[in-house]
């Protein structure tokens, strides 16, 4: 019984980090109405940025946040501005332009292959990592410390994003644009700038997720692919565009993956996750957590 | 030089031409009605002035400055603001957030606390409803939010596209009174309407649009007495 509880808690911890990758995806989708197939690659770039920030400067792995979040924000901002925006402008009458999806897929391939070219195929892990394998003993259970901090960072990030969307001028403008682009234009909001900012925020969140992963996860060029598929599943589970839904959806997937192997072969847990995903798509396509947008 | 001047514009949706060689002007302080039936091109004209569908030919000048190549946000920044047809509220945002988004442009953003008080003064209903989601309001209340949101942008010229659309006669009368008040407080108004009688009765001048062309223009009083208008628009 204690094992199940321990696995559940560890599932919640790792699941919240999955939720963080899905959160970036959902923010971008909420505004651009386009699934960003490059999101896993952005996570990969975030992980490399975090890895090198720690290796080159010797700072604490979590302090890398102050480098990674802004670097990734600008990376996303200009990626959208330079590569994706021209396609958007060319197809401005199309609400969900398929060509933009194709472009994000192109970005995925380019980024993954660039990192293979630059960093090579090897798996990298932080040496002299103060968090490596550290466990927290709590009521007789062993919990991973880096996953615990990942959980804290995920919750704080989600709360901060929610606050930003509710209470700031830019946040309101982003919500307005996501609800009605043309009407937002008539309020003096420059749509294309909003897309840049939303993409920047989504990418920065992917960077934050990268920082939380690096202390206990290998970094390699195709690492994003593993999280890509999870990200899509979670976003659909939680409800496209929902902040709370992304985190909760991530936690559900994390718990299934973590507790499942106690009762069945590990491969079956994947089947359960996909099964749940399909069920939600058929039965409640707006996601488990009701509202279409909670921002 | 007129406050707003539209010179010989032609507007297309793709290959389909909707506005043909249209010219009009609005002087500072005026209320000008643009009337015409469904599909005459009234909304397209306003969308063109707002920069959403730039004209293929012709010029639009606001305070003497050409704006027909400017993006929508630059036009709002200049003080030329539109309240669109069908209200187009941000349905899942609160009334207050809708109003605040209206003050997004940098001129308006600086004074938004003061403006929102003035808007609540003019439309007291909005203060009562400020924390409700916009989608939960009645049609009349939604139109008030749309107008209030337009005012939050600190317009020098406010263009309203069929503000009385779909409202009961009493509510619609209320909206026209509000528009007149806005004009009396010093904002120039362009009013697009199908309710010709009420619209012209609060206007100084009017234009009649048919099939994308101006077919008549003149002082509101004269238009109200015109036999063509009486038969075609007033059903008298
Ligand atoms: N987005 C659009 N694409 C193509 N045609 C349009 C579009 N919007 C309006 N139209 C056409 O343009 C004409 C004028 O429409 P509109 O400006 O909305 O007229 P009004 O506001 O006077 O009712 C109509 O024939 C309408 O069908
Ligand atoms: Mg219309």
């Amino acid at each position: 019984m204690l094992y199940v509880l321990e696995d559940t808690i560890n599932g919640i911890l790792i699941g919240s980090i999955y939720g963080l990758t899905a959160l970036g995806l959902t923010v971008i989708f909420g505004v651009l109405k386009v699934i960003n197939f490059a999101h896993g690659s952005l996570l990969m770039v975030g992980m490399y940025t975090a890895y090198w920030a720690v290796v080159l400067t010797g700072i604490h792995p979590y302090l890398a946040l102050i480098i990674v979040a802004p670097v990734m924000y600008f990376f996303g901002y200009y990626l959208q501005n330079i590569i994706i925006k021209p396609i958007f402008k060319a197809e401005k009458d199309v609400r969900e332009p398929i060509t933009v999806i194709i472009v994000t897929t192109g970005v995925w391939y380019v980024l993954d292959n660039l990192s293979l070219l630059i960093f090579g195929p090897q798996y990298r892990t932080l040496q002299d990592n103060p968090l490596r394998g550290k466990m927290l003993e709590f009521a007789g259970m062993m919990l991973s410390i880096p996953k615990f901090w990942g959980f804290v960072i995920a919750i704080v990030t989600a709360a901060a994003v929610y606050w930003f969307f509710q209470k700031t001028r830019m946040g309101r403008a982003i919500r307005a644009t996501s609800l009605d682009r043309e009407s937002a234009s008539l309020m003096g909001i420059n749509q294309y700038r909003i897309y840049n900012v939303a993409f920047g925020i989504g990418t920065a969140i992917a960077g934050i997720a990268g920082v939380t992963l690096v202390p206990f996860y290998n970094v390699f060029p195709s690492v994003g692919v593993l999280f890509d598929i999870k990200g899509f599943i979670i976003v659909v589970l939680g409800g496209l565009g929902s902040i709370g839904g992304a985190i909760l959806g991530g936690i559900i997937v994390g718990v299934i993956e973590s507790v499942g192997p106690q009762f069945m072969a590990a491969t079956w847990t994947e089947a359960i996750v996909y099964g749940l995903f399909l069920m939600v798509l058929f039965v409640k396509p707006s996601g488990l957590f009701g509202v279409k947008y909670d921002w | 030089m007129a406050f707003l001047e539209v010179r010989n514009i032609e507007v297309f949706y793709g290959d389909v031409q909707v506005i043909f060689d249209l010219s009009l002007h609005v002087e500072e302080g005026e209320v000008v009605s643009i009337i015409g039936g469904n599909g005459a091109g009234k909304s397209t004209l306003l969308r063109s002035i707002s920069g959403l569908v730039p004209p293929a030919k012709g010029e639009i000048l606001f305070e003497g400055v050409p704006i027909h190549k400017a993006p929508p946000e630059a036009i709002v920044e200049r003080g030329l603001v539109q309240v669109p047809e069908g209200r187009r509220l941000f349905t899942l945002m609160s009334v207050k957030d809708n109003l605040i988004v209206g003050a997004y442009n940098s001129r308006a953003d600086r004074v938004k606390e003061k403006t929102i008080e003035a808007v609540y003064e003019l439309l007291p209903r909005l203060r009562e409803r400020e924390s409700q989601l916009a989608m939960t309001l009645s049609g009349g209340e939604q139109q008030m939010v749309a107008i209030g949101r337009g005012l939050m942008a600190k317009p020098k010229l406010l263009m309203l596209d069929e503000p009385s659309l779909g409202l009961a006669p009493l509510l619609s009368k209320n909206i026209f009174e509000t528009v007149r008040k806005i004009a009396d407080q010093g904002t120039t108004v362009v009013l697009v309407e199908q309710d010709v009688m009420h619209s012209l009765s609060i206007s100084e001048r009017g234009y009649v649009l048919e099939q994308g062309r101006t077919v008549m223009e003149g002082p509101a009083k004269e238009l109200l007495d015109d036999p063509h208008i009486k038969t075609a628009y007033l059903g008298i």
Side-chain angles (χ1 to χ4, degrees):
Chain A
M1 194 56 223
L2 196 59
Y3 286 126
V4 174
L5 189 61
E6 187 178 285
D7 286 338
T8 306
I9 294 177
N10 274 317
I12 291 173
L13 299 184
I14 185 73
S16 66
I17 298 174
Y18 296 161
L20 207 45
T21 65
L23 177 58
L25 197 59
T26 223
V27 165
I28 291 172
F29 179 85
V31 178
L32 280 78
K33 312 296 178 205
V34 159
I35 290 277
N36 171 29
F37 278 95
H39 205 70
S41 303
L42 297 178
L43 176 72
M44 178 273 294
V45 174
M47 286 175 76
Y48 271 106
T49 312
Y51 173 82
W52 287 112
V54 173
V55 169
L56 296 178
T57 65
I59 52 176
H60 189 279
Y62 292 137
L63 265 184
L65 273 180
I66 53 177
I67 299 170
V68 174
V71 165
M72 292 298 286
Y73 174 82
F74 287 110
F75 181 66
Y77 186 102
Y78 287 106
L79 184 67
Q80 147 65 27
N81 192 46
I82 296 166
I83 313 249
I84 302 177
K85 186 170 81 179
I87 318 288
F88 253 113
K89 282 202 163 162
E91 304 222 4
K92 81 173 165 207
D93 300 327
V94 188
R95 193 176 142 83
E96 292 170 33
I98 192 92
T99 42
V100 175
I101 296 176
I102 294 167
V103 169
T104 66
T105 311
V107 170
W108 160 20
Y109 282 113
V110 170
L111 288 179
D112 282 17
N113 285 296
L114 266 183
S115 75
L116 187 62
L117 198 69
I118 298 171
F119 303 119
Q122 66 266 44
Y123 284 40
R124 293 168 192 271
T125 41
L126 284 181
Q127 310 299 321
D128 345 298
N129 171 7
L131 297 153
R132 164 158 234 96
K134 283 272 157 45
M135 289 289 182
L136 174 80
E137 211 183 319
F138 174 73
M141 295 177 293
M142 299 300 276
L143 305 177
S144 152
I145 288 185
K147 287 180 190 168
F148 171 76
W149 284 114
F151 171 79
V152 172
I153 291 170
I155 300 297
V156 170
T157 303
V161 169
Y162 184 78
W163 175 87
F164 175 80
F165 282 150
Q166 290 296 322
K167 296 293 178 197
T168 67
R169 174 171 179 246
M170 179 53 77
R172 287 190 190 94
I174 291 174
R175 278 155 71 208
T177 304
S178 96
L179 290 167
D180 188 337
R181 291 174 182 180
E182 197 174 271
S183 190
S185 286
L186 291 176
M187 304 300 120
I189 297 167
N190 177 347
Q191 290 189 46
Y192 296 107
R193 171 132 192 279
I194 295 293
Y195 299 170
N196 293 347
V197 172
F199 213 93
I201 292 172
T203 307
I205 297 170
I208 295 171
V211 169
T212 65
L213 283 169
V214 162
F216 64 91
Y217 215 92
N218 293 317
V219 187
F220 52 98
S222 60
V223 64
V225 177
L226 302 172
F227 291 90
D228 237 343
I229 299 159
K230 268 194 192 98
F232 300 143
I233 292 178
I234 291 167
V235 162
V236 170
L237 281 183
L240 276 167
S242 163
I243 293 172
I247 300 293
L248 286 171
I251 287 176
I252 289 176
V253 170
V255 169
I256 293 175
E257 278 187 5
S258 171
V259 178
Q262 291 276 348
F263 303 100
M264 61 194 105
T267 41
W268 272 103
T269 63
E270 292 233 342
I272 292 184
V273 169
Y274 282 100
L276 184 63
F277 166 72
L278 287 177
M279 221 166 71
V280 167
L281 266 189
F282 285 125
V283 178
K284 198 162 181 294
S286 62
L288 290 176
F289 303 102
V291 284
K292 212 162 137 233
Y293 296 104
D294 53 14
W295 43 285
Chain B
M1 172 65 61
F3 198 45
L4 172 69
E5 189 151 345
V6 175
R7 283 188 199 150
N8 312 100
I9 60 164
E10 317 248 328
V11 185
F12 293 75
Y13 287 113
D15 295 335
V16 185
Q17 186 163 6
V18 173
I19 302 255
F20 301 84
D21 191 32
L22 188 148
S23 298
L24 60 80
H25 65 94
V26 178
E27 304 300 328
E28 193 164 6
E30 274 190 314
V31 175
V32 174
S33 276
I34 296 173
I35 60 183
N38 252 333
K42 306 180 297 296
S43 297
T44 304
L45 170 62
L46 292 200
R47 289 162 55 80
S48 197
I49 296 172
S50 281
L52 293 172
V53 194
K57 274 205 197 115
E59 300 183 303
I60 303 172
L61 292 97
F62 183 55
E63 296 186 300
V65 181
I67 55 165
H68 50 276
K69 292 199 173 86
E73 61 273 12
I75 292 168
V76 173
E77 191 77 48
R78 291 194 171 280
L80 181 44
V81 175
Q82 177 182 168
V83 176
E85 183 177 296
R87 337 204 201 292
R88 302 289 286 269
L89 297 184
F90 304 115
T91 46
L92 294 169
M93 292 169 73
S94 70
V95 167
K96 189 166 186 192
D97 278 354
N98 268 275
L99 294 176
I100 295 175
V101 169
Y104 181 83
N105 78 72
S106 60
R107 252 174 344 104
D109 185 58
R110 272 178 247 126
V111 291
K112 63 173 182 290
E113 272 83 25
K114 246 176 83 185
T115 320
I116 207 168
E117 278 309 310
V119 167
Y120 282 158
E121 191 87 9
L122 180 74
L123 303 160
R125 218 22 195 278
L126 300 190
R127 193 197 299 271
E128 293 166 32
R129 305 269 177 217
E130 68 172 18
S131 54
Q132 256 175 265
L133 289 189
M135 65 184 287
T136 64
L137 302 188
S138 71
E141 289 169 338
Q142 289 196 6
Q143 188 59 57
M144 286 180 195
V145 177
I147 294 174
R149 190 178 63 172
L151 290 174
M152 290 298 292
K154 290 284 211 185
K156 295 178 193 163
L157 192 161
L158 186 65
M159 304 189 289
L160 300 123
D161 195 349
E162 301 207 33
S164 76
L165 190 71
L167 299 186
L170 202 66
L171 286 170
S172 142
K173 190 163 162 273
N174 205 325
I175 294 288
F176 283 110
E177 281 167 10
T178 305
V179 172
R180 189 61 244 181
K181 253 191 238 168
I182 291 168
D184 291 341
Q185 289 172 4
T187 308
T188 307
V189 173
V190 170
L191 182 55
V192 162
E193 262 300 340
Q194 296 203 46
D195 184 341
V196 174
M197 175 75 107
H198 283 104
S199 177
L200 283 175
S201 68
I202 64 161
S203 301
E204 270 85 39
R205 287 189 308 119
Y207 290 85
V208 182
L209 243 64
E210 282 174 13
Q211 285 157 17
R213 299 174 170 84
T214 40
V215 293
M216 243 189 235
E217 61 174 287
K221 282 201 189 67
E222 284 175 27
L223 291 177
L224 276 170
D225 286 336
D226 186 272
H228 171 69
I229 295 203
K230 278 188 169 163
T231 51
Y233 296 102
L234 297 172
I236 306 174

